[in-house]
Amino acid sequence: MPLLEVKGLKTHFYTSDGVVKAVDGVSFYVDEGETLGIVGESGCGKSMSVLSIMRLVPQPAGRVVAGEILFEGVDLLRLSLDEMRHIRGNKIAMVYQDPMTSLNPVLTVGHQIREALQLHMGMSKKQSLKRTAELLQTVRIPEATARMDDYPHQFSGGMRQRVVIAMALACNPKLLIADEPTTALDVTIQAQIVELVKGLRDELGMAILWITHDLGVIAGLADRMQVMYAGRVVEEAPVKELYSHPRHPYTAGLLGSLPRLDMIREAKLKSIDGMPPDLIGLPPGCPFGPRCAGAEERCRRECPELQPAGSPHRAACWSDSPGDRG
């Protein structure tokens, strides 16, 4: 049984202009100790999928209208708010894009980590102080014991993200959800954070669900990948298989836009024409159809579901060779 299994998840937002289908029938699973990457451009539903898992969808406009979210066999959507609070930060932890949204600017970082330890683990003040210092050392904070009394603004962006990771790891979660945790950092710090998380994953044996729009970041981290577009999953495969043989034109377009070390100097990066669709009142057919160079009449009439494209690869495309398009 997977550690986390999401089945047919639909999350809608009810606005004055209409219903926004932010997540429209998404399914995936994460096994224990596995890293799953979910990629796609802004607005495709990546973050809203994980906020739905954490039961943090903004209300009253947002609502999970269908699906199941099974964690260790228990449907999180059926838990009370008190039961869900016991899961958050304890068994499932989350690291957000901007560390300053996760840290209280008027409390020391040590206090914020100790709070989680005392709440979820029942530690005394002395025990939590010792554990907090250990956690900060684990995420490579120099002079960890002395820095427990510092405030968030006294840390650089990369060090703040390390503090947030320490907070997330405080209760030894089984699943770590990372929602674009390196986006606001420069590339050198990005690489350090990714290497840190890889090391902690191998050391602690936790599963990771990593959300990003950057295929370069996820390449050396994830075991499997899913590509999302317009609230749907359009392709899924093991990482090496997806990078070497993309089976959906959107995935091929994303990979074509990445700079590569083996590219000749004169080669130009490709771009995907058009804009993402409006998620209010999507027309019938494939949502990527208007941007796809090889779209056929069937693409405008019917929306494809994920189907086998070579084991263990699946893609939502009517074409037999969709990766050649774009």
Side-chain angles (χ1 to χ4, degrees), residues 81 207 288:
L81 290 179
F288 188 69

Side-chain angles (χ1 to χ4, degrees), residues 235-255:
E235 185 165 9
E236 62 178 19
V239 168
K240 291 182 179 179
E241 166 68 16
L242 187 139
Y243 276 72
S244 59
H245 300 101
R247 303 298 299 161
H248 193 279
Y250 176 60
T251 309
L254 290 178
L255 291 171

Side-chain angles (χ1 to χ4, degrees), residues 91-149:
K91 293 187 175 183
I92 305 177
M94 190 163 177
V95 176
Y96 295 88
Q97 178 174 335
D98 181 4
M100 285 304 282
T101 63
S102 304
L103 296 170
N104 189 324
V106 300
L107 297 175
T108 65
V109 298
H111 177 91
Q112 295 181 63
I113 297 174
R114 293 201 313 272
E115 190 174 39
L117 291 168
Q118 292 169 354
L119 175 65
H120 290 299
M121 308 290 283
M123 290 187 179
S124 66
K125 184 176 180 179
K126 183 178 180 179
Q127 290 172 323
S128 64
L129 282 168
K130 181 182 177 182
R131 177 61 175 155
T132 298
E134 292 172 350
L135 286 164
L136 292 177
Q137 289 169 354
T138 298
V139 296
R140 320 290 193 266
I141 298 288
E143 301 177 359
T145 302
R147 302 223 63 183
M148 287 167 52
D149 294 326

Side-chain angles (χ1 to χ4, degrees), residues 19-251:
V19 179
V20 179
K21 296 181 179 180
V23 182
D24 194 17
V26 166
S27 298
F28 60 84
Y29 69 91
V30 184
D31 287 327
E32 291 191 17
E34 182 186 34
T35 300
L36 173 68
I38 299 182
V39 301
E41 59 197 316
S42 297
C44 73
K46 311 183 300 294
S47 294
M48 203 49 60
S49 295
V50 297
L51 288 176
S52 300
I53 293 171
M54 298 295 280
R55 298 269 302 272
L56 294 174
V57 175
Q59 294 182 337
R63 193 183 314 157
V64 176
V65 298
E68 294 179 295
I69 302 171
L70 303 175
F71 180 74
E72 296 185 317
V74 177
D75 190 351
L76 300 183
L77 296 176
R78 297 183 180 275
L79 298 183
S80 67
L81 290 179
D82 284 341
E83 290 172 324
M84 194 62 208
R85 273 192 286 268
H86 179 70
I87 296 287
R88 288 192 210 110
N90 188 16
K91 293 187 175 183
I92 305 177
M94 190 163 177
V95 176
Y96 295 88
Q97 178 174 335
D98 181 4
M100 285 304 282
T101 63
S102 304
L103 296 170
N104 189 324
V106 300
L107 297 175
T108 65
V109 298
H111 177 91
Q112 295 181 63
I113 297 174
R114 293 201 313 272
E115 190 174 39
L117 291 168
Q118 292 169 354
L119 175 65
H120 290 299
M121 308 290 283
M123 290 187 179
S124 66
K125 184 176 180 179
K126 183 178 180 179
Q127 290 172 323
S128 64
L129 282 168
K130 181 182 177 182
R131 177 61 175 155
T132 298
E134 292 172 350
L135 286 164
L136 292 177
Q137 289 169 354
T138 298
V139 296
R140 320 290 193 266
I141 298 288
E143 301 177 359
T145 302
R147 302 223 63 183
M148 287 167 52
D149 294 326
D150 286 348
Y151 291 86
H153 72 270
Q154 294 175 276
F155 291 81
S156 66
M159 286 296 166
R160 281 197 294 265
Q161 197 62 286
R162 290 170 185 262
V163 170
V164 172
I165 293 171
M167 289 177 62
L169 298 179
C171 300
N172 301 316
K174 293 190 174 183
L175 173 65
L176 176 68
I177 298 176
D179 186 7
E180 307 212 37
T182 61
T183 297
L185 308 174
D186 64 53
V187 289
T188 304
I189 306 302
Q190 279 187 12
Q192 292 177 4
I193 295 296
V194 170
E195 286 303 311
L196 172 65
V197 172
K198 285 173 64 176
L200 293 173
R201 174 198 61 189
D202 296 341
E203 179 183 340
L204 303 175
M206 63 186 174
I208 298 175
L209 179 56
W210 191 287
I211 311 299
T212 185
H213 65 271
D214 189 342
L215 279 83
V217 168
I218 202 69
L221 178 65
D223 301 303
R224 290 185 298 113
M225 284 177 58
Q226 286 197 322
V227 180
M228 286 189 67
Y229 185 80
R232 294 169 172 261
V233 175
V234 296
E235 185 165 9
E236 62 178 19
V239 168
K240 291 182 179 179
E241 166 68 16
L242 187 139
Y243 276 72
S244 59
H245 300 101
R247 303 298 299 161
H248 193 279
Y250 176 60
T251 309

